[in-house]
Structures are given as C-alpha cells and as structure tokens.
Amino acid sequence: MARYDRAITVFSPDGHLFQVEYALEAVRKGNAAVGVRGADVIVLAVEKKSTPKLQDSRSVRKIVNLDDHIALACAGLKADARVLINRARIECQSYKLTVEDPVTVEYITRYIAGLQQKYTQSGGVRPFGLSTLIIGFDPHTGTPSLYQTDPSGTFSAWKANATGRNSNSIREFLEKNYKETSGQETVKLAIRALMEVVESGGKNIEVAVMTKEDGLRQLEEAEIDAIAAEIEAEKAAAEAARKGRTTTES
C-alpha cells in the first residue's frame, strides 16, 4: 500500500485512491452534523465542542449562509471548509450577476462537488477533508432541498441525513423515525437524532432553521435547551409507560 498512498493521482492495483479514503476518515472523525427536510422547513443541527472560557463562541460557527436562501453545514477540517465556503459564496454572487437569478440548491451543490472532485484528480494538491450538508429552497418553485457532498466529489439528495462522527448511528435513527413533518416537529427530530450521540444534551448542539419566508435563523441556546428538555421528558414518559406495561404483563 505504501507505494500508492503518496500520490493522489495514482490508483492502487485494487482500484483505491488512498488519499481520498484518508480524507473520508477525516470526515468520520469530525463533529457530527444532521440535516432534516420538512414540508415547509429545513433544519441543520451540528455537534459543537465546548469553547474555552475566554473564546467568543460566536466566532466558531459550523452552519453558514452561502446565499439568502441556501445554507451549509460541514463535518471535517474547518480550515478546508472556510476555503470551500468562500468559493461557493463567490459562485452564488457571480451566477446572480450573470443570469440575474439566484442559484438553485442543485446548481451550487454541483459546483461544490465539482470542486471537491477536481482536488482528487490534480497533482500537487490534496482532497478537501470535509463532507457538507447543503440546504435551501428552490428560488422558482419554493421546494425545500437537502444535499450531501463528500471528499470524493459525489453528491446526492436526501430527506434526512447525517455526516461526521457516529453518522451511521444517527442515520439508523433517522431511518426508523423519519416522516415528513413541518415546523417545530422537524426541529425536534433533528435535535433528537443528534442527541443520540451527543452528551450534555442541548448545551453542545448548534441548530439553524431555514424557512422560505424568513431564510436561515440560528436558534438561541435557551431555545435548544427547551426543546432538549421536552425530548428528555418524552423519553422518560415513554420509558415509564413501557415499564408499566411490562409490570402489568408479568
């Protein structure tokens, strides 16, 4: 293997590009991110590490706007994310200046995925060590969309998805519990999914909600704590009901 993981443009005999696989491993070690698409709202929730006491927590954001109607969350290397986000923002504005229409979510997803793929095929560079979840509303039809891209440059549309640390566990939870919801129920589902793997409840979660009318809104910590407490109460009630049934049956 050692001969084939030094150059990004060289395939191994069994068809692997090891540098791309190493980039995917960097994503798996990154903070978890969840995206859930509802009927009238799209939610991004990400795990955030506790910030040092003297650091301004507002300067560390993992959910950002690309345009008024499009937002992105990522898992992986933050420095790589900053470069990709800046390129995507410039493309959004360039597109608007050229055709006098806002970009569609699929267009900017294709652009980001194309950029990531380009960096798997060129000498003297390395792949972007991040995976992105891109959300937004179609500027023409108003349809909500959720896409994911990864370091290899592939992209796909989802109803709900997760990336980063423990993403498989979150995805299994979403597969069991997803149904198309609207409003607050969509927000609760995203936070519940992330709380499956995040300790300390709402304190270590960053959540942003996008609607067609209001665009992206970051939830305050107090709002997240209130929803997390509601979820914990529902879990406790369900557990008590289950124990009651078990006692009755025995």
Side-chain angles (χ1 to χ4, degrees), residues 5-250:
D5 68 351
R6 296 175 188 275
I8 191 170
T9 54
V10 179
F11 280 96
S12 69
D14 53 353
H16 290 276
L17 282 172
F18 286 113
Q19 289 296 324
V20 175
E21 292 183 14
Y22 297 159
L24 286 164
E25 190 59 37
V27 170
R28 283 190 282 270
K29 290 182 178 176
N31 292 0
V34 178
V36 180
R37 190 188 78 194
D40 59 354
V41 67
I42 322 165
V43 183
L44 288 174
V46 298
E47 174 189 8
K48 65 177 182 182
K49 291 180 179 172
S50 54
T51 53
K53 194 172 181 180
L54 299 178
Q55 186 180 26
D56 185 351
S57 60
R58 293 173 301 175
S59 63
V60 184
R61 291 286 186 192
K62 295 188 76 88
I63 302 174
V64 297
N65 268 103
L66 298 182
D67 205 342
D68 293 336
H69 61 296
I70 298 176
L72 174 149
C74 60
L77 303 179
K78 291 178 186 174
D80 286 15
R82 189 177 66 246
V83 172
L84 203 60
I85 288 163
N86 286 341
R87 295 279 290 271
R89 282 173 168 168
I90 290 168
E91 180 62 22
C92 285
Q93 298 310 308
S94 174
Y95 183 96
K96 194 180 286 185
L97 283 168
T98 306
V99 304
E100 298 183 356
D101 270 327
V103 296
T104 61
V105 187
E106 184 180 356
Y107 175 88
I108 201 63
T109 302
R110 283 180 184 276
Y111 175 81
I112 289 171
L115 203 54
Q116 287 178 294
Q117 194 280 331
K118 184 180 174 183
Y119 276 69
T120 69
Q121 206 176 356
S122 309
V125 298
R126 65 160 175 78
F128 285 96
L130 78 153
S131 174
T132 68
L133 293 173
I134 302 165
I135 64 168
F137 284 85
D138 188 286
H140 309 297
T141 64
T143 310
S145 300
L146 167 66
Y147 287 88
Q148 182 194 11
T149 73
D150 68 27
S152 67
T154 60
F155 73 94
S156 47
W158 295 78
K159 294 176 182 175
N161 197 13
T163 186
R165 187 174 68 86
N166 293 325
S167 59
N168 288 338
S169 302
I170 300 172
R171 203 173 291 119
E172 283 172 17
F173 174 86
L174 289 168
E175 284 171 0
K176 288 176 187 172
N177 294 278
Y178 177 83
K179 55 182 183 289
E180 189 163 293
T181 53
S182 60
Q184 194 72 357
E185 287 302 310
T186 310
V187 180
K188 277 176 70 175
L189 177 61
I191 294 175
R192 273 180 65 204
L194 204 53
M195 284 174 67
E196 291 291 302
V197 298
V198 174
E199 296 171 6
S200 306
K203 193 171 73 171
N204 290 337
I205 293 175
E206 180 183 336
V207 182
V209 178
M210 178 174 277
T211 58
K212 187 182 174 187
E213 296 78 20
D214 303 324
L216 190 73
R217 183 176 78 87
Q218 301 265 0
L219 295 193
E220 298 293 332
E221 197 169 309
E223 294 178 86
I224 299 170
D225 287 339
I227 297 168
E230 193 180 329
I231 291 166
E232 292 292 355
E234 286 175 5
K235 276 186 186 175
E239 184 66 20
R242 188 180 64 79
K243 284 181 180 174
R245 282 198 304 272
T246 306
T247 307
T248 306
E249 286 169 6
S250 58

